[in-house]
Amino acid sequence: MPTEVQEETFTLEELLAGLKEMHRLILWNDDFNTFDHVIHCMMKYLDYSESQAEKIAWKVHNEGKCAVLEGSFTEMEIYRKILQQEGLTVSVE
């Protein structure tokens, strides 16, 4: 008995969306960056409001880390490099 094979078709958009596994950019607490510097970087590079950036700074201070952005690995790597050049401790998960 022959096996029937059903062919599936996908758009390019659907294929690319399937390849984009979500990653998170993590900001870590450290002993050398000031609250003002962290807030400045969150506002300048990640487009957070001052209030949002302050909440992130406090969360990092109190909990040791905070996820500050989510997206593709490539996007997160770009932001990781930018923030590391500013002296922040960041990683991609």
Side-chain angles (χ1 to χ4, degrees):
M1 181 177 236
T3 303
E4 239 179 82
V5 176
Q6 186 175 359
E7 187 176 308
E8 287 187 81
T9 57
F10 298 96
T11 66
L12 178 59
E13 232 174 56
E14 289 170 326
L15 288 171
L16 292 174
L19 294 174
K20 276 192 169 184
E21 183 180 330
M22 295 303 273
H23 293 272
R24 298 182 315 155
L25 183 66
I26 308 297
L27 175 63
W28 295 88
N29 192 30
D30 58 42
D31 293 330
F32 41 87
N33 282 295
T34 65
F35 270 70
D36 286 341
H37 183 62
V38 171
I39 292 166
H40 168 77
C41 289
M42 293 297 103
M43 292 171 61
K44 181 176 180 178
Y45 299 109
L46 301 184
D47 205 26
Y48 281 109
S49 69
E50 186 173 357
S51 173
Q52 292 169 320
E54 285 176 12
K55 287 178 185 174
I56 289 169
W58 278 106
K59 184 171 183 176
V60 169
H61 177 73
N62 291 322
E63 298 179 20
K65 68 178 184 175
C66 179
V68 295
L69 195 61
E70 192 172 280
S72 72
F73 180 77
T74 303
E75 291 169 314
M76 297 305 98
E77 273 296 297
I78 290 167
Y79 284 105
R80 181 189 65 77
K81 288 177 182 179
I82 290 168
L83 294 176
Q84 277 186 332
Q85 286 179 346
E86 287 289 339
L88 299 181
T89 306
V90 287
S91 63
V92 175
E93 290 184 350

